[in-house]
Amino acid sequence: MGSWVPCSVPAIAPRVLTQRHLNRALLARQLLLERGHGSLPKTLDRIGGIQAQYAPSAYVGLWSRLEGFERDQLTRALERRTVVQGTLMRVTIHLVSAASYWRYAEGIRAARRRALLRVRKQVGGDRDFEALMKPLRKQLAGTTLSQREVRELIGEQAGFSASNWLDLVRVPPSGTWERRRADLYASAEDWLGTDGAGVGAADSVDWLVRSYLGGFGPAGRKDIADWAGLAVREVMASFERLELRRFEDEQGNELMDLPRAPLPEPDTPAPVRFIPTWDAITLANLRRTGVLPEQYRPLLFNTKNPRSMSTFLVDGAVAGSWKFENDRIVLDPFEKLDRQARRELDAEAERLAEFHR
C-alpha cells in the first residue's frame, strides 16, 4: 500500500489543516500533482487501487498518474496476473495489485457479505447463500465462467450476487480496453494462488485503513468506513492498533494520517489533469478536499447520469467534463476558463486523444 509505514511519533497538539492543505495532500498521494514512474502494482498499492466498473476508466486513470503509460501495459499486466480486478471496496470492481488482493478481500469480505444479505433478504441467510454457491465453487475449479454461465448454473439473482459472496476475480480478455465488459470470472484462489491469504480480519482492516490514508488521507473515521464499506467501529478499532498522526480540519473534526505521508504546502501548483468516470477522487467521502466543488456535484451524480462522467481538474478542482468524440477530446467547461488554463487543457487533451486512438 505504498512506502509509508506506521511508526512511533511524539504526541503533539492537533494541527489544523485547511481545505487547501487537504486538496494538495490528496493530489500528491494520487500522483495528480506529479506523475509517477513506478510499476503498475506499486502504483496501485500507493493510490489505494482504482475503481474499474467501466474498464477504460482504469486505463485513463493510470495515464493521468503515470509518466509514459500506454494502454497495452495494463492489458499485459492483467494477462500476466500482476494486477487483478475484483469486487472489493463498496462492493464495486477495483483494480489492485495481485500481491495486495487478499488483504483487500479479507478486510472487506464480512462487510461485503453483510451488504449482500441486506439487499437479498429473499434469498436467505449465510447458509442459504453457501448452499447456492456450492455448485459454482465446484464448476469454477481450475477454469473460468462467463457471467451468463454463472447465472444459468445458480440462477439469475444468485448469479448476479456471486462475486459479492465469493472471492472471484474478473479475468482477461474481459475487463480490458479491447473487451470492456468485465464478465469472465475465475476464483481468486485459482487465478492468483493463496500466497498472502489468511492474514486475518483485523490485520486486513488495518491494511485497508493504511491504504486509504496513504492514497487519500488525512481522513476521518467515517471517510475511511465509507470508502471501504466497513462499519465505523471497525475503523475505530484499527485506529487503536495503529500509530497514526492526528490533525483537525477547519471545522474541528479529527483527521488521522500515516507518519511522514506527503503534506504539500497549500500554495503548491496543481497542473490540469483529466479524470475518468467513477474516479474515487470525486466520491462524497472526499468532500473535505474540495476536489469536486459542491455546486457541480449534482451535475456528475444524478439519476439521468448513472455512470457519472469524466471530468478535468484546474488548480486541483473539477472545472468541467470531457469526452472522446470524433477522434478528439471535447471539453465542456462548467464556467469560463482563463487563457492559461485553456492552453494547458488543450495540450493535455491532445495527448489524451493520442492515447485513445
Side-chain angles (χ1 to χ4, degrees):
M1 42 106 340
S3 57
W4 309 300
V5 295
C7 66
S8 180
V9 294
I12 57 173
R15 171 186 167 196
V16 175
L17 299 176
T18 66
Q19 185 178 79
R20 186 87 170 184
H21 278 109
L22 298 174
N23 177 276
R24 288 328 194 231
L26 173 68
L27 296 178
R29 298 178 196 199
Q30 285 293 306
L31 301 177
L32 294 170
L33 277 186
E34 183 178 354
R35 283 182 166 97
H37 296 83
S39 68
L40 292 190
K42 288 183 179 179
T43 296
L44 291 169
D45 282 349
R46 175 170 176 172
I47 65 176
I50 285 184
Q51 197 165 331
Q53 275 98 308
Y54 180 56
S57 292
Y59 288 78
V60 174
L62 287 168
W63 177 85
S64 289
R65 291 169 167 90
L66 277 175
E67 192 68 44
F69 175 75
E70 297 179 355
R71 294 200 315 246
D72 62 353
Q73 288 178 253
L74 177 51
T75 301
R76 287 200 309 268
L78 288 165
E79 292 169 347
R80 294 170 180 172
R81 310 186 191 190
T82 59
V83 303
V84 68
Q85 298 179 41
T87 300
L88 296 169
M89 285 71 76
R90 303 181 308 285
V91 197
T92 57
I93 303 174
H94 274 72
L95 176 73
V96 299
S97 76
S100 298
Y101 170 82
W102 285 113
R103 289 184 179 271
Y104 284 114
E106 295 186 14
I108 56 87
R109 185 182 295 126
R112 186 180 66 193
R113 290 182 173 184
R114 288 196 302 267
L116 176 59
L117 291 173
R118 284 196 298 269
V119 300
R120 302 291 192 195
K121 292 178 182 177
Q122 62 270 44
V123 176
D126 292 31
R127 290 183 180 179
D128 299 305
F129 262 101
E130 281 297 332
L132 282 170
M133 298 301 164
K134 188 175 181 179
L136 178 57
R137 289 182 189 272
K138 182 178 180 180
Q139 194 68 25
L140 269 173
T143 189
T144 61
L145 293 176
S146 69
Q147 189 179 80
R148 177 182 57 80
E149 291 171 324
V150 170
R151 297 199 308 269
E152 289 175 352
L153 180 65
I154 62 175
E156 288 288 318
Q157 188 178 91
F160 279 116
S161 304
S163 60
N164 295 5
W165 193 263
L166 302 179
D167 293 317
L168 304 180
V169 294
R170 270 79 166 187
V171 301
S174 77
T176 62
W177 187 279
E178 296 77 17
R179 183 181 154 188
R180 299 179 179 189
R181 188 173 182 182
D183 61 350
L184 188 61
Y185 298 98
S187 75
E189 292 92 338
D190 286 340
W191 190 254
L192 300 175
T194 56
D195 286 349
V199 295
D203 286 345
S204 296
V205 170
D206 290 351
W207 168 269
L208 286 168
V209 170
R210 292 196 300 266
S211 293
Y212 184 84
L213 293 176
F216 303 95
R221 57 195 178 189
K222 190 173 185 303
D223 299 327
I224 302 170
D226 288 348
W227 170 78
L230 298 172
V232 170
R233 66 178 180 276
E234 295 175 280
V235 176
M236 289 296 294
S238 182
F239 283 177
E240 294 298 318
R241 294 189 293 267
L242 299 175
E243 293 287 345
L244 301 169
R245 290 189 291 183
R246 287 170 168 78
F247 299 99
E248 288 183 358
D249 64 18
E250 293 172 291
Q251 290 72 47
N253 299 308
E254 183 182 58
L255 302 174
M256 310 299 286
D257 200 13
L258 300 180
R260 293 193 292 273
L263 279 175
E265 291 300 318
D267 59 354
T268 303
V272 300
R273 287 287 184 261
F274 283 84
I275 305 300
T277 184
W278 292 126
D279 196 286
I281 69 166
T282 60
L283 292 175
N285 65 288
L286 285 165
R287 277 187 162 102
R288 66 185 181 278
T289 68
V291 163
L292 177 55
E294 289 304 309
Q295 67 268 29
Y296 300 150
R297 189 169 294 276
L299 301 178
L300 267 65
F301 303 104
N302 57 67
T303 56
K304 294 182 180 180
N305 187 37
R307 239 184 53 189
S308 177
M309 64 174 67
S310 299
T311 59
F312 58 82
L313 307 182
V314 175
D315 192 26
V318 169
S321 66
W322 65 271
K323 57 185 176 181
F324 182 67
E325 187 176 77
N326 297 325
D327 216 31
R328 68 189 188 92
I329 302 297
V330 179
L331 304 181
D332 182 16
F334 295 152
E335 294 183 6
K336 186 177 180 180
L337 300 169
D338 65 43
R339 291 182 180 179
Q340 180 61 29
R342 186 73 202 209
R343 282 195 295 269
E344 293 175 6
L345 284 165
D346 287 344
E348 187 80 345
E350 179 54 35
R351 291 189 287 270
L352 182 55
E354 286 294 328
F355 180 78
H356 274 77
R357 293 170 187 145

